[in-house]
């Protein structure tokens, strides 16, 4: 089994110097996913949002709820709010 070194990402690592709007949505999703899988709540929220609106990925309610729940469990208020909205 191959072992890869753990990469620690900061939120700022996921945004290019000239801003998020300069990269394709698919690329943004890739970087949000890397940080989200390492437990970064803001990236978990952002990845959930991407699934919510279908930016860079197909809309997927299951993935939306999964990532919003992970972010909410870490105290992300936006994720908590969106989960309440989704449950109505």
């Amino acid at each position: 089994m191959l072992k890869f070194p753990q990469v620690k990402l900061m939120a700022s690592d996921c945004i290019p110097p000239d801003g998020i709007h300069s990269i394709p949505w698919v690329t943004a999703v890739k970087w949000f996913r890397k940080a989200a899988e390492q437990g970064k709540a803001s990236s978990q929220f952002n990845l959930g949002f991407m699934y919510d609106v279908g930016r860079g990925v197909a809309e997927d309610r299951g993935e939306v709820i999964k990532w919003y729940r992970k972010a909410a469990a870490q105290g992300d208020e936006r994720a908590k709010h969106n989960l309440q909205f989704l449950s109505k």
Side-chain angles (χ1 to χ4, degrees):
M1 180 160 106
L2 295 174
K3 294 209 176 205
F4 296 96
Q6 180 85 12
V7 176
K8 295 291 183 187
L9 296 174
M10 302 295 290
S12 60
D13 295 331
C14 298
I15 301 173
D18 53 347
I20 189 81
H21 298 290
S22 68
I23 61 173
W25 291 116
V26 173
T27 303
V29 167
K30 177 181 115 177
W31 288 106
F32 286 142
R33 184 178 314 281
K34 286 180 183 282
E37 288 172 347
Q38 291 181 22
K40 182 73 176 163
S42 62
S43 292
Q44 291 169 339
F45 170 81
N46 287 331
L47 186 55
F49 183 78
M50 298 298 237
Y51 277 107
D52 201 2
V53 297
R55 296 281 171 112
V57 291
E59 290 180 25
D60 185 328
R61 187 175 175 94
E63 288 292 309
V64 172
I65 292 169
K66 170 185 159 181
W67 290 110
Y68 281 171
R69 282 185 178 159
K70 287 177 181 278
Q74 295 189 71
D76 188 295
E77 294 298 323
R78 302 166 302 165
K80 291 177 186 179
H81 171 79
N82 287 5
L83 282 170
Q84 287 177 343
F85 180 78
L86 289 170
S87 67
K88 291 182 181 180

